[in-house]
Amino acid sequence: MPLPTVILPGYLEGASAYIPLETSLEALGFPTVTVPLRKRDWLPTVGGRSMVPILRRLDRSVKQTLKYHNASQINLIGHSAGGWISRIYIGEKPYTIHGDTSESDPFWGALSCVSTLITLGTPHVSLERWTKRNLDFVNTNYPGAFYQQIRYVCVAGKSIFGARKQGSWLAFNSYQITCGNGETWGDGITPIEAAHLQGAENLTIEGVRHSPKSPGLWYGSPEILPFWTKYLV
């Protein structure tokens, strides 16, 4: 029987945006739940502050899912920032860089209960000063596909080339502050090179845009799911 799956939404996004993805995964036989976040739940994290409020919600959802399904492991899907936040959650190092939690708090160290981590359009690196502190913690302590016992699958979209022209400015600026090069391919928010991790199973899917609210196809569109759901246990 497939392992249960938990979805962690992207930055400033609520769980409701992932209901179609949940439904699609359920139809494929994967019991799925999304961490029940609302947009306002992200407000304490704005400006590069601590992700502990999100880690706390994620931990609660994972533990409830394990108990409900009488399972020892889950598949974890992190969209956008949810991907690198998931890497903090899996990791063993205390996430105390913001001084708002102690080393004994149980909001990380989930290594043993995650079988597969799938990141969708996740910026695993950033040059943006507010995000950089958190991502430096992740990449210093857990570089690349760090834990051999976890399958890392990093999915990038290739739909918009960043350029200094109408229709491509948002992509250009987002890519620029993420990887230092605005003139590259990505999903409109995350450049391909930032969405992949060394040692992971790295996928690039043509025509995929970043957000569940984007026009056209995104990572969770039914037409796109076969590219990455085959990696779910």
Side-chain angles (χ1 to χ4, degrees):
M1 181 175 177
L3 292 179
T5 294
V6 175
I7 301 170
L8 180 59
Y11 193 60
L12 295 178
E13 191 59 87
S16 59
Y18 299 84
I19 291 174
L21 175 55
E22 254 189 70
T23 302
S24 295
L25 291 174
E26 291 272 2
L28 292 172
F30 300 104
T32 305
V33 64
T34 302
V35 179
L37 294 170
R38 295 162 294 182
K39 185 173 181 178
R40 67 188 185 193
D41 294 324
W42 290 94
L43 295 181
T45 74
V46 169
R49 286 179 283 179
S50 172
M51 290 295 163
V52 163
I54 306 304
L55 290 167
R56 185 179 288 115
R57 295 291 191 93
L58 172 59
D59 183 62
R60 185 182 306 148
S61 293
V62 169
K63 288 176 177 174
Q64 289 174 344
T65 299
L66 290 170
K67 182 177 181 181
Y68 181 81
H69 292 281
N70 192 27
S72 59
Q73 287 189 309
I74 61 156
N75 297 312
L76 183 54
I77 298 172
H79 172 235
S80 195
W84 60 258
I85 295 169
S86 295
R87 292 168 64 202
I88 297 175
Y89 179 63
I90 290 169
E92 299 165 288
K93 299 285 186 181
Y95 175 66
T96 56
I97 60 172
H98 296 279
D100 62 340
T101 187
S102 70
E103 292 190 6
S104 61
D105 282 333
F107 308 133
W108 47 78
L111 170 63
S112 64
C113 65
V114 177
S115 174
T116 298
L117 171 64
I118 296 183
T119 67
L120 307 175
T122 292
H124 288 293
V125 296
S126 178
L127 301 177
E128 199 272 325
R129 64 173 182 156
W130 301 116
T131 309
K132 193 174 184 297
R133 186 180 183 190
N134 282 316
L135 273 169
D136 282 353
F137 171 85
V138 177
N139 291 318
T140 299
N141 290 296
Y142 318 113
F146 187 75
Y147 290 108
Q148 293 184 354
Q149 57 268 61
I150 292 178
R151 169 178 270 185
Y152 291 77
V153 182
C154 298
V155 189
K158 184 181 180 181
S159 57
I160 300 176
F161 187 83
R164 293 185 176 93
K165 64 179 184 180
Q166 187 174 359
S168 301
W169 266 109
L170 174 60
F172 177 89
N173 289 329
S174 184
Y175 301 163
Q176 182 79 23
I177 65 173
T178 300
C179 69
N181 178 22
E183 295 181 326
T184 188
W185 282 98
D187 62 14
I189 298 294
T190 303
I192 293 171
E193 60 194 86
H196 289 164
L197 283 175
Q198 184 175 359
E201 299 191 52
N202 293 313
L203 311 177
T204 300
I205 307 176
E206 296 279 347
V208 169
R209 294 198 174 197
H210 185 77
S211 168
K213 297 176 180 177
S214 299
L217 299 175
W218 86 287
Y219 296 98
S221 296
E223 303 94 322
I224 302 303
L225 292 183
F227 288 96
W228 58 265
T229 54
K230 61 186 177 183
Y231 295 96
L232 292 173
V233 178

